[in-house]
Amino acid sequence: MIIPIIDGHNDTINNVYFKRRPFLKETKQGHVDFPRAKKGGLIGAFFAISVLPEDKGKRQFGYGLKIVDKGWEVLYPSPLKQHYAEQFTDEVFNSFLSYVKQSKDISIVTNYKNLEECIEKDIFSIILHFEGAEIIKEDLSNLEYYYEKGLRSLGLVWSRANVFGCGVPFKYPSHPDIGTGLTNAGKNLVRKCNELGIIVDLAHINKKGFFDVASISKAPLVVSHAGVHSICNTATNLIDSQISAIKRTNGVVGIIFDVLNTRPDAQFMTNTSLDIILRHIDYIVNKIGIDHVCLGSDFDGGQMPNKLKDVSKLQGLINMLKKNGYSNEELEKIAYKNWLRVIKDSWSN
């Protein structure tokens, strides 16, 4: 029995664009293409666009990585110019949109009814996400424009500062209690996202910014891709007070698959057992309940365990969870129903 899956985060749009690889044909490149997604039971996903530095030399994996005592850190990226971020995003999105238009079996969904219809008709659903709000003008004057283009999920920050707030660096060991909270523009952005029906994604944000959103937002708190800090203490993972706040708003955590954010030693070792993902899922379930945990792979952005080498292997993860005591009803919540609930509660239509 294949259980349908909605994935909370991938970086496939960027990967397809910069690797100049197909999306509609199956390849061995990257982690996600449409045929492999179908094999893995993926019915939809949040597809992110993240803006890469203007300096192409700084786009390489591991750029700025420094090994420190008992861990590692990556140089904190410099802020981006808004005009460049907008130009970059438009170019990458329009390129990917050409793939979507070539297939009647793929759709960018913009409302909950549309999402339900796609699931019923076996049409693959793409939810457009911006990972970092650098593209949005400080006065928010272009936010509705991107809403009309399909934007339905927005990360306030990536792991850098911008005019809206402060992200956490890529660092181990570390803690999300780094930097200042949301700016006034950031608080206005949260309110406007609530008004339009855009999910505010709290992945990569620091502790102060997280709780600023919690005090302002009227929507469920959502973290698209993260692990549990007490298991793997990287700066991007969630501490207990954040996890509890997510429950209070009927929100969700999408558990990341990346070995650097799941292994207790945060090491780049892809021969890692899927049991480590189970540990993070179990932790969330035991602390705040089955209704608040989802999947947030970070495909095409993170370093996957060998047994999850690409999206076609997703049912192996589901089977592992089943063998460890999760019922079909619980698996359906983790795999897609919790995402459906939060999407319905967050979008305006």
Side-chain angles (χ1 to χ4, degrees):
M1 174 183 173
I2 292 180
I3 291 184
I5 294 171
I6 293 175
D7 182 19
H9 183 84
N10 68 49
D11 289 298
T12 300
I13 293 179
N14 276 35
N15 189 274
V16 166
Y17 180 81
F18 285 101
K19 299 292 184 182
R20 301 299 180 191
R21 67 175 178 89
F23 179 72
L24 298 179
K25 295 180 181 179
E26 182 170 350
T27 73
K28 294 183 179 179
Q29 296 175 272
H31 296 143
V32 180
D33 55 44
F34 179 53
R36 284 183 288 172
K38 296 290 284 185
K39 286 182 179 180
L42 192 71
I43 60 173
F46 290 74
F47 279 67
I49 298 176
S50 56
V51 181
L52 302 184
E54 287 188 72
D55 183 344
K56 293 181 180 179
K58 295 180 179 180
R59 296 178 181 179
Q60 300 171 2
F61 173 73
Y63 175 84
L65 177 66
K66 183 169 67 172
I67 304 301
V68 297
D69 185 35
K70 298 181 180 179
W72 47 262
E73 61 181 303
V74 177
L75 293 175
Y76 203 62
S78 301
L80 297 170
K81 297 174 183 176
Q82 188 277 328
H83 175 72
Y84 162 74
E86 192 167 5
Q87 184 180 45
F88 177 102
T89 301
D90 288 347
E91 183 176 334
V92 173
F93 174 66
N94 289 333
S95 175
F96 190 76
L97 190 59
S98 67
Y99 288 106
V100 177
K101 290 179 177 179
Q102 290 175 39
S103 175
K104 60 180 174 48
D105 297 317
I106 304 173
S107 178
I108 295 176
V109 295
T110 57
N111 61 67
Y112 189 74
K113 183 179 179 182
N114 182 206
L115 178 57
E116 284 187 313
E117 290 172 348
C118 284
I119 293 171
E120 183 180 335
K121 296 177 181 178
D122 196 27
I123 296 172
F124 186 76
S125 298
I126 291 175
I127 299 168
L128 181 61
H129 171 77
F130 291 166
E131 189 172 21
E134 286 85 359
I135 186 176
I136 305 302
K137 294 179 179 179
E138 188 172 2
D139 64 3
L140 313 185
S141 58
N142 63 345
L143 181 62
E144 291 192 44
Y145 167 77
Y146 284 106
Y147 178 83
E148 293 300 321
K149 287 180 73 76
L151 179 67
R152 291 298 181 272
S153 176
L154 178 65
L156 299 181
V157 295
W158 184 66
S159 286
R160 60 163 69 91
N162 61 29
V163 298
F164 303 111
C166 184
V168 293
F170 293 105
K171 187 175 181 180
Y172 168 85
S174 190
H175 194 278
D177 193 7
I178 297 170
T180 57
L182 296 185
T183 63
N184 286 333
K187 294 173 182 178
N188 289 335
L189 178 56
V190 172
R191 296 184 184 103
K192 189 64 176 179
C193 284
N194 282 177
E195 177 187 325
L196 290 173
I198 298 173
I199 291 172
V200 175
D201 180 15
L202 297 173
H204 292 274
I205 202 166
N206 64 352
K207 179 183 176 182
K208 289 185 176 66
F210 180 102
F211 282 104
D212 280 345
V213 175
S215 68
I216 296 168
S217 181
K218 297 179 180 179
L221 295 182
V222 171
V223 180
S224 65
H225 60 299
V228 174
H229 189 269
S230 64
I231 298 174
C232 174
N233 59 336
T234 57
T236 54
N237 280 344
L238 299 173
I239 58 176
D240 283 356
S241 59
Q242 293 173 310
I243 294 168
S244 295
I246 288 165
K247 179 180 181 178
R248 289 195 293 272
T249 65
N250 206 24
V252 291
V253 181
I255 295 298
I256 196 169
F257 303 167
D258 179 16
V259 296
L260 295 176
N261 284 289
T262 51
R263 289 178 58 94
D265 60 4
Q267 293 301 299
F268 183 14
M269 296 177 64
T270 57
N271 62 340
T272 299
S273 167
L274 297 187
D275 290 347
I276 191 58
I277 299 173
L278 172 67
R279 283 188 62 188
H280 289 262
I281 291 173
D282 281 347
Y283 189 97
I284 299 294
V285 170
N286 291 333
K287 186 164 185 63
I288 61 174
I290 192 72
D291 293 327
H292 307 289
V293 63
C294 305
L295 303 179
S297 68
D298 203 19
F299 279 138
D300 284 318
Q303 308 306 308
M304 299 295 115
N306 290 338
K307 289 187 177 180
L308 265 176
K309 66 178 184 178
D310 64 35
V311 67
S312 71
K313 305 300 181 184
L314 277 173
Q315 293 300 313
L317 174 63
I318 297 298
N319 291 336
M320 183 272 293
L321 294 174
K322 187 171 185 176
K323 288 177 182 177
N324 280 273
Y326 284 95
S327 67
N328 283 344
E329 181 182 358
E330 292 170 328
L331 291 172
E332 287 178 345
K333 287 187 175 186
I334 295 171
Y336 73 102
K337 287 187 175 179
N338 289 341
W339 271 127
L340 288 179
R341 184 195 75 244
V342 165
I343 290 168
K344 186 177 183 179
D345 289 348
S346 300
W347 288 358
S348 57
N349 55 30

